[in-house]
Amino acid sequence: MSDSEPILLLIEDDPAHALLIKRAFKKATYSDQIVHLSDGQDALDYLYGKGKYEGNPHSPTLIVLDINIPKINGLEVLKQLKSHPSKRTIPVVILSTSMHKADILNAYANYANSYITKPVDFKAFETKLIQLKQYWFSTNQLLESQK
């Protein structure tokens, strides 16, 4: 991974949610780059170096992925990532408003590393994101290629 490689890829179509996520990560002293993309097609292009990212694939340390995103939904993005040998080790955390059992089962069936629901309360949302940051960047053991 190069020095300019993002550490966190946020795939979220709701601008308000994206802003809250970025603020919470900054509050949790997360100072590395966060790349925010708002649809599944753009995310896959970014990860595989296609379209406007031609020839420049990326492998972030962590992907935070919403399910209900335009063009290609989050579960399909997850499925494509986890089926590709060079991308399957990237941890993917689903961050969604959906509490539907089918969505949760589908996420884990496609090898999501975690499934977190977005609380309605801002403080609870912020607390969950701070815990997420602490776990994935402090507690969890990453592969050397993900650091």
Side-chain angles (χ1 to χ4, degrees), residues 17-79:
H17 286 179
L19 183 61
L20 290 175
I21 292 165
K22 289 178 195 178
R23 283 185 184 169
F25 270 83
K26 286 180 182 172
K27 188 173 184 174
T29 65
Y30 181 81
S31 59
D32 291 323
Q33 186 178 8
I34 297 173
V35 170
H36 171 226
L37 302 173
S38 58
D39 71 67
Q41 184 62 61
D42 200 31
L44 289 172
D45 286 352
Y46 178 82
L47 289 161
Y48 291 109
K50 296 180 179 178
K52 66 183 177 186
Y53 308 103
E54 186 67 41
N56 190 19
H58 295 77
S59 291
T61 303
L62 178 67
I63 297 172
V64 176
L65 174 63
D66 189 12
I67 290 177
N68 298 311
I69 53 176
K71 297 187 182 173
I72 298 175
N73 77 42
L75 291 173
E76 182 58 31
V77 170
L78 174 67
K79 185 177 182 178

Side-chain angles (χ1 to χ4, degrees), residues 67-68 96-107 115 117:
I67 290 177
N68 298 311
S96 178
T97 55
S98 174
M99 292 187 217
H100 296 291
K101 186 176 180 180
D103 286 338
I104 297 168
L105 286 171
N106 231 349
Y115 191 103
T117 54

Side-chain angles (χ1 to χ4, degrees), residues 60 72 80 90 102 110 125 130 142:
I72 298 175
Q80 288 189 39
I90 301 170
N110 286 291
F125 190 46
I130 290 169
L142 297 169

